[in-house]
Amino acid sequence: MDNVLGIAYDGGVLIAADQSNGRSILTYQTNLDKIKALTSHSMMGVSGPNCDLVNFTEYIAKNISLYELSNDGTKLSTHAQANFCRNELAVAIRKGPYQVNVLLGGYDEKTKSSSLYYLDYMGTLHKVPHGSQGYSTYFCSSIFDKEYREGMTEAEAMKVIEFCIQEIKTRFMISQPNFIIKKVDKEGVSVVSFGEDPTDT
C-alpha cells in the first residue's frame, strides 16, 4: 500500500513517500522513512515490504560507498547508481527477488544537473521527469501530466507534490496521514517536511 512520488525540477529532485508501515489489516507505525540517502547527493524512495525496503536500500548504499573507497574516491554518477540498482534487481529475479519499486533521484556535481530514475522489481529502468510507485500512480499520473513542465522551480515542483498528496488523502480509501518529502540539489540531500518525525521511536 506504499505511495512514492518524485519530480525533477531545475537544479534538483523532490521525492515524497507515505510514512505508514503495515501488513494485512494492521498498521504498525506512521513515522517510517521510506526515502534513503545513498550518497550526499542521491537518494531513493522505495515501495515494498519493510524487510526488502531496508535490505535493498542498505545493500545499495553500502556498495556505492565501497566502490568509492575502493577506487580512490571516485564517485558514481546518478546514472551509474541507477544502472547498478537495475542490475542488482535483475540478478535477484532468479535468486530471491527484492519486492521493491524505486524512484532514484540525484544531483551530479560534475554536470551540475539533476535526474530522476524509475525502477521496478523486474529490473526495468527509465529516466523520467516525474514518476510514482504504488497506488499513487492511479491518482497522480494525470496531475503530473497536466502540471509538469520543463524548467520548473523548486516551489512549483513542491506545489505539484502537495497537490498529489492531497489527492491521495482525499481519494485513496486507505488512510495514510503522514508523508515525508526530501529534496536533493547542489547542497545535497535534505528533509523538506514530514508528518511524524522518523527518528521518534
Side-chain angles (χ1 to χ4, degrees), residues 46-60 63 84-102 119-123:
V46 183
S47 72
N50 196 42
C51 55
D52 281 348
L53 185 155
V54 173
N55 286 339
F56 184 70
T57 56
E58 289 290 335
Y59 176 76
I60 296 298
N63 272 277
F84 173 66
C85 290
R86 192 216 75 81
N87 184 65
E88 292 302 320
L89 287 168
V91 168
I93 289 173
R94 290 165 182 82
K95 294 181 179 179
Y98 292 106
Q99 297 295 316
V100 294
N101 296 303
V102 176
L119 299 96
D120 69 12
Y121 76 102
M122 295 294 286

Side-chain angles (χ1 to χ4, degrees), residues 70-96:
S70 303
N71 292 274
D72 300 319
T74 302
K75 295 181 183 293
L76 289 174
S77 65
T78 307
H79 178 73
Q81 291 177 41
N83 277 276
F84 173 66
C85 290
R86 192 216 75 81
N87 184 65
E88 292 302 320
L89 287 168
V91 168
I93 289 173
R94 290 165 182 82
K95 294 181 179 179

Side-chain angles (χ1 to χ4, degrees), residues 36-144:
K36 168 75 173 177
L38 300 177
T39 67
S40 61
H41 286 78
S42 64
M43 59 183 176
M44 63 162 58
V46 183
S47 72
N50 196 42
C51 55
D52 281 348
L53 185 155
V54 173
N55 286 339
F56 184 70
T57 56
E58 289 290 335
Y59 176 76
I60 296 298
K62 300 310 180 192
N63 272 277
I64 290 172
S65 296
L66 177 62
Y67 181 89
E68 187 175 337
L69 290 169
S70 303
N71 292 274
D72 300 319
T74 302
K75 295 181 183 293
L76 289 174
S77 65
T78 307
H79 178 73
Q81 291 177 41
N83 277 276
F84 173 66
C85 290
R86 192 216 75 81
N87 184 65
E88 292 302 320
L89 287 168
V91 168
I93 289 173
R94 290 165 182 82
K95 294 181 179 179
Y98 292 106
Q99 297 295 316
V100 294
N101 296 303
V102 176
L103 288 178
L104 191 154
Y107 180 86
D108 292 310
E109 295 174 281
K110 281 187 177 180
T111 59
K112 300 191 185 309
S113 62
S114 57
S115 51
L116 178 67
Y117 292 87
Y118 173 103
L119 299 96
D120 69 12
Y121 76 102
M122 295 294 286
T124 301
L125 172 64
H126 286 290
K127 183 178 180 181
V128 293
H130 53 75
S132 56
Q133 299 281 16
Y135 285 103
S136 57
T137 304
Y138 295 107
F139 305 104
C140 300
S141 293
S142 58
I143 295 172
F144 281 134

